[in-house]
mmCIF file of all heavy atoms in Angstrom:
data_model
loop_
_atom_site.group_PDB
_atom_site.id
_atom_site.type_symbol
_atom_site.label_atom_id
_atom_site.label_comp_id
_atom_site.label_asym_id
_atom_site.label_seq_id
_atom_site.Cartn_x
_atom_site.Cartn_y
_atom_site.Cartn_z
ATOM 1 N N ILE T 99 9.946 20.200 -16.225
ATOM 2 C CA ILE T 99 10.363 20.715 -17.526
ATOM 3 C C ILE T 99 11.758 21.311 -17.352
ATOM 4 O O ILE T 99 11.968 22.127 -16.456
ATOM 5 C CB ILE T 99 9.388 21.795 -18.030
ATOM 6 C CG1 ILE T 99 7.987 21.215 -18.225
ATOM 7 C CG2 ILE T 99 9.888 22.427 -19.326
ATOM 8 C CD1 ILE T 99 6.918 22.266 -18.497
ATOM 9 N N LEU T 103 14.602 24.721 -21.521
ATOM 10 C CA LEU T 103 13.474 24.572 -22.436
ATOM 11 C C LEU T 103 12.334 25.491 -22.030
ATOM 12 O O LEU T 103 11.710 26.138 -22.877
ATOM 13 C CB LEU T 103 13.009 23.115 -22.456
ATOM 14 C CG LEU T 103 11.730 22.809 -23.233
ATOM 15 C CD1 LEU T 103 11.838 23.279 -24.680
ATOM 16 C CD2 LEU T 103 11.423 21.306 -23.179
ATOM 17 N N TRP T 104 12.077 25.590 -20.738
ATOM 18 C CA TRP T 104 11.006 26.464 -20.264
ATOM 19 C C TRP T 104 11.321 27.929 -20.571
ATOM 20 O O TRP T 104 10.463 28.668 -21.063
ATOM 21 C CB TRP T 104 10.805 26.276 -18.761
ATOM 22 C CG TRP T 104 9.711 27.141 -18.213
ATOM 23 C CD1 TRP T 104 9.851 28.228 -17.409
ATOM 24 C CD2 TRP T 104 8.300 26.993 -18.460
ATOM 25 N NE1 TRP T 104 8.623 28.774 -17.126
ATOM 26 C CE2 TRP T 104 7.660 28.034 -17.753
ATOM 27 C CE3 TRP T 104 7.546 26.099 -19.191
ATOM 28 C CZ2 TRP T 104 6.270 28.188 -17.762
ATOM 29 C CZ3 TRP T 104 6.158 26.248 -19.209
ATOM 30 C CH2 TRP T 104 5.533 27.289 -18.505
ATOM 31 N N THR T 107 10.865 28.652 -24.250
ATOM 32 C CA THR T 107 9.446 28.684 -24.621
ATOM 33 C C THR T 107 8.800 29.986 -24.203
ATOM 34 O O THR T 107 8.122 30.650 -24.999
ATOM 35 C CB THR T 107 8.707 27.503 -23.960
ATOM 36 O OG1 THR T 107 9.294 26.273 -24.386
ATOM 37 C CG2 THR T 107 7.234 27.517 -24.339
ATOM 38 N N ALA T 129 1.915 23.469 -16.101
ATOM 39 C CA ALA T 129 2.259 22.819 -17.367
ATOM 40 C C ALA T 129 2.850 21.434 -17.130
ATOM 41 O O ALA T 129 2.581 20.491 -17.889
ATOM 42 C CB ALA T 129 3.237 23.685 -18.156
ATOM 43 N N LEU T 133 1.220 18.057 -18.608
ATOM 44 C CA LEU T 133 1.947 17.097 -19.433
ATOM 45 C C LEU T 133 1.859 15.689 -18.855
ATOM 46 O O LEU T 133 1.856 14.704 -19.597
ATOM 47 C CB LEU T 133 3.408 17.518 -19.570
ATOM 48 C CG LEU T 133 3.654 18.765 -20.431
ATOM 49 C CD1 LEU T 133 5.094 19.242 -20.268
ATOM 50 C CD2 LEU T 133 3.349 18.486 -21.892
ATOM 51 N N THR T 147 8.255 16.095 -30.184
ATOM 52 C CA THR T 147 9.438 16.556 -29.445
ATOM 53 C C THR T 147 9.007 17.241 -28.152
ATOM 54 O O THR T 147 7.842 17.641 -27.984
ATOM 55 C CB THR T 147 10.263 17.552 -30.278
ATOM 56 O OG1 THR T 147 9.477 18.752 -30.486
ATOM 57 C CG2 THR T 147 10.653 16.952 -31.628
ATOM 58 N N ASP T 148 9.968 17.432 -27.253
ATOM 59 C CA ASP T 148 9.691 18.152 -26.013
ATOM 60 C C ASP T 148 9.283 19.596 -26.298
ATOM 61 O O ASP T 148 8.426 20.157 -25.599
ATOM 62 C CB ASP T 148 10.929 18.148 -25.109
ATOM 63 C CG ASP T 148 11.218 16.767 -24.530
ATOM 64 O OD1 ASP T 148 10.329 15.889 -24.596
ATOM 65 O OD2 ASP T 148 12.340 16.564 -24.022
ATOM 66 N N ASP T 149 9.887 20.207 -27.308
ATOM 67 C CA ASP T 149 9.540 21.594 -27.658
ATOM 68 C C ASP T 149 8.065 21.716 -28.026
ATOM 69 O O ASP T 149 7.398 22.689 -27.632
ATOM 70 C CB ASP T 149 10.410 22.080 -28.823
ATOM 71 C CG ASP T 149 11.846 22.331 -28.397
ATOM 72 O OD1 ASP T 149 12.609 21.352 -28.299
ATOM 73 O OD2 ASP T 149 12.207 23.503 -28.177
ATOM 74 N N ILE T 150 7.563 20.762 -28.789
ATOM 75 C CA ILE T 150 6.159 20.781 -29.198
ATOM 76 C C ILE T 150 5.262 20.667 -27.968
ATOM 77 O O ILE T 150 4.325 21.461 -27.774
ATOM 78 C CB ILE T 150 5.862 19.642 -30.189
ATOM 79 C CG1 ILE T 150 6.538 19.914 -31.533
ATOM 80 C CG2 ILE T 150 4.358 19.455 -30.368
ATOM 81 C CD1 ILE T 150 6.416 18.772 -32.534
ATOM 82 N N CYS T 151 5.538 19.687 -27.131
ATOM 83 C CA CYS T 151 4.692 19.436 -25.968
ATOM 84 C C CYS T 151 4.695 20.617 -25.003
ATOM 85 O O CYS T 151 3.636 21.042 -24.513
ATOM 86 C CB CYS T 151 5.146 18.170 -25.250
ATOM 87 S SG CYS T 151 4.971 16.658 -26.232
ATOM 88 N N VAL T 152 5.863 21.175 -24.741
ATOM 89 C CA VAL T 152 5.961 22.271 -23.778
ATOM 90 C C VAL T 152 5.336 23.551 -24.332
ATOM 91 O O VAL T 152 4.675 24.296 -23.598
ATOM 92 C CB VAL T 152 7.428 22.500 -23.369
ATOM 93 C CG1 VAL T 152 7.571 23.756 -22.515
ATOM 94 C CG2 VAL T 152 7.951 21.288 -22.601
ATOM 95 N N ALA T 153 5.511 23.813 -25.621
ATOM 96 C CA ALA T 153 4.902 25.005 -26.223
ATOM 97 C C ALA T 153 3.387 24.959 -26.106
ATOM 98 O O ALA T 153 2.739 25.971 -25.779
ATOM 99 C CB ALA T 153 5.316 25.122 -27.690
ATOM 100 N N ILE T 154 2.802 23.798 -26.360
ATOM 101 C CA ILE T 154 1.346 23.659 -26.273
ATOM 102 C C ILE T 154 0.888 23.702 -24.822
ATOM 103 O O ILE T 154 -0.111 24.360 -24.489
ATOM 104 C CB ILE T 154 0.898 22.354 -26.967
ATOM 105 C CG1 ILE T 154 1.142 22.461 -28.477
ATOM 106 C CG2 ILE T 154 -0.573 22.056 -26.675
ATOM 107 C CD1 ILE T 154 0.932 21.158 -29.237
ATOM 108 N N ALA T 155 1.615 23.032 -23.943
ATOM 109 C CA ALA T 155 1.232 23.026 -22.533
ATOM 110 C C ALA T 155 1.301 24.419 -21.923
ATOM 111 O O ALA T 155 0.396 24.830 -21.180
ATOM 112 C CB ALA T 155 2.130 22.069 -21.751
ATOM 113 N N ALA T 156 2.343 25.168 -22.224
ATOM 114 C CA ALA T 156 2.508 26.509 -21.653
ATOM 115 C C ALA T 156 1.383 27.435 -22.088
ATOM 116 O O ALA T 156 0.794 28.156 -21.272
ATOM 117 C CB ALA T 156 3.858 27.089 -22.067
ATOM 118 N N GLN T 157 1.072 27.419 -23.383
ATOM 119 C CA GLN T 157 0.012 28.297 -23.883
ATOM 120 C C GLN T 157 -1.363 27.810 -23.445
ATOM 121 O O GLN T 157 -2.252 28.607 -23.120
ATOM 122 C CB GLN T 157 0.089 28.374 -25.407
ATOM 123 C CG GLN T 157 1.355 29.047 -25.905
ATOM 124 C CD GLN T 157 1.478 29.015 -27.406
ATOM 125 O OE1 GLN T 157 0.748 29.703 -28.116
ATOM 126 N NE2 GLN T 157 2.403 28.207 -27.915
#
Side-chain angles (χ1 to χ4, degrees):
I99 298 170
L103 173 56
W104 180 251
T107 301
L133 290 169
T147 65
D148 290 345
D149 288 80
I150 290 174
C151 296
V152 172
I154 292 171
Q157 294 175 71

